Amino acid sequence: MAITAMVHSLASRMQHWCRKLVDNPALGHKVSSGLFSLLTLVIGLVIGVLVLNPLWGTLAQPNLFPAAILPPITGPIDGLFYIRNAELGYAWSTRDPLSLWFHPLLSSFLQVLPGWLPKNSWFWLISLVFAAACLPLIFRLTVILTGNSSVQPKMIPLCLVAPGGLSLATGNAEIPTLFFSTLLLLSVLAWEKWWLTVVSAAAAILTKPNALYMVAVLFIYFLFAVATRNLKLWKHSLLGMAALLGGWLIWIWIVDWQTGHPGAYWEARLAFSPYSGPVDLRGFFEQWLNAFLVDDLRNQIRFSTAILIPMVSLIVIGLVPFASEPHRYAFAAGNLAMLIISLALGNPNKILLYATTLPGYFVTHLVLLAWLISQRRQQNMGARWLVGACYLAYCVGMQVVYVIGTPLGWYF
Amino acid sequence: MGLGILGNLLASWLEPAILQDAFLPWNLVAIIALIVIGVVLGVRAQGGKFTWFLNQNTYWSLLIFVGVALLVIILLSVITRRTPVLYFVIDTTAKMQPIFNDVRREVQLSTSLVPRTFKIGLRTYGGSADNIPNCQDTEQLLPLQTYDNFSARIDSVLARLQPRGNGSLTGAVLEAIYTDLANENNHIQMLVVTSGTDPLCDPTGGGILERRAKEVKDNLEVIIISIGEIDASRKQILNSYAEAFNGRHINVPTAASLHSIVQNAAYYGYGYYGDGTFPGEPDATLVP
């Protein structure tokens, strides 16, 4: 009797919710974007567990996946160093760059989490939670930036097709950074909550220094706001930049103070490889050329992807329709910031994953796909086919680099 | 970006050395200044409206500009590519006796992977048959140049040597810097392979070297590689030499580690991942 009543109550509640969703398309969009985000994560996890995990374990170069980050999906590449900082603390006394390079937020999270699970499992779970929270925000941002509904929630799983998109299912610091950066952009452009702007900017920079790309993005919005006398946008973009730079400076000061050595942060950051030659713009291109002269596949891929990914992103940004042109310039500025930092430091590592920290990355990917498969196919058919084929080949190529290249160290 | 670099390219017709300047940060500043001036002039021409600038066509123009600039840089990198230089200074004193054959084999193997475009040279110290200690015993055995088969050449040269006598590491390095590499303007990586210091011939601290080492050019990178276990005091001495030469000292357990170090030196950088240590060995001493 009680069970029948419960089922009846549940059914009536569901009916009530369904009616609410039908009556309110905006709410329906939110719910379906949440559901498709979860579906995306499930698909990503299935691929991750059934394909990436065994493949990475089999192909991994010696010592690439030490015991602390097994199974490999839990913390590939940089994960080890966040986990090590959480377990052992920062190497203040030795000023080990492998410790000081990594910003503190994720390691601090790991430190306070209970010991029921190993740290690498927690690291993976944290990343998955951020991925699940991030995808609806990406969708929300897409709708705001394009100003139309050409991108449907059912397209969210296509984020996995984007270069580096499969990292949504792995343990990493890039997706949490993307979450905070997207939150920051939404706060600046739509929600206009000063506390959210400050908190998300500070959290983004304390997760990874890649959040600095957002300074370039916000600077464009700031210029546009000044030119159009948009006071709210002016304030929020400036606040966001100040919080990003302020958070960064505080962390630099903490590192210098804890090590007792002024300039320790910069020294660690510049020492990206003790064996490297000239790490500057010229050195970057020389090493790239050298890789082809000596037939060094790893460096060919490492340096080529560092140029190719930002350039393709810039082209995609130029192709897709935006509700307002400043968005195009803002995203381009973010990409250029990533490219310039990479060139200036002579460091081509991990651009495939760094690109995913930019909020515009998945947005432009989804909008481009929506444009390519839109109903009005009769328009510019030839151009669409060409762009579609090239972009598909690019995505497939980059997925190969990610899937095969992670255990073989091709892109880092 | 193009104007600054193209300006340098034109100047290089008059004087090739000027091409080096194409990569100076000032060019970047000049390029950014040009873009800003262009935008400001454009905005003024449009009655002070900034937003005219923001349209899709302008975006594509800028993108083409960036693409062309990138191509120019790549082209310029090809034209002005610096010839990488690897210079070996190998210890052939008596204390190298137990490991010399291993060192010879590893040097031969690792140099076989160095591209032919590299300029390579070899200097040794020690090896004198005299019973009287001779700290000046150092000789350039392979001059700095490109070789078709350097690994075979170095192997045949090392095969003729018998580790014995005394020799000075610092003396050999300074001789290489002031004589063999004096006219070399490319980026030089000097790999000094030793099993430790010679108390008879080497100073016990880097301090006395500092005055001479200050004259060492910026294009030189000295990597002192000590093989096998060395005590703390010798390690300290080698560290101080490395510091004096503005380089670094790496202690490796066996000669087998030479392979990866030479490879890294030849390929500019390896990667820092894996077991959490830099490639080569876990005891790398970074100086400073």
Side-chain angles (χ1 to χ4, degrees), chain A residues 202-220:
Chain A
I205 193 68
L206 292 176
T207 306
K208 260 189 104 64
N210 303 64
L212 284 173
Y213 308 149
M214 285 302 291
V215 174
V217 174
L218 294 178
F219 184 66
I220 296 294

Side-chain angles (χ1 to χ4, degrees), chain A residues 63 78 81 84 98 227-228 272 274-275 282 285-287 290 293-294 296 298 314 318 325 328-329 332 412, chain B residues 20 53-56 58-60 73 77 80-82 115 248 267-270 272-276 278-279:
Chain A
N63 297 323
D78 278 352
F81 304 109
R84 188 181 287 178
L98 288 170
T228 56
F272 100 89
Y275 293 105
R282 190 176 187 190
F285 286 102
E286 283 186 345
Q287 289 174 67
N290 200 41
L293 288 174
V294 301
D296 175 3
R298 175 176 173 265
L314 286 171
E325 283 303 309
R328 193 183 311 283
Y329 285 84
F412 55 89
Chain B
Q20 304 270 347
F53 191 70
L54 302 179
N55 64 61
Q56 203 164 354
T58 313
Y59 178 86
W60 279 103
I73 292 180
S77 300
T80 67
R81 191 169 166 274
R82 293 171 290 194
R248 68 182 76 101
Y267 285 68
Y268 286 148
Y270 181 73
Y272 47 83
Y273 298 106
D275 59 355
F278 290 102

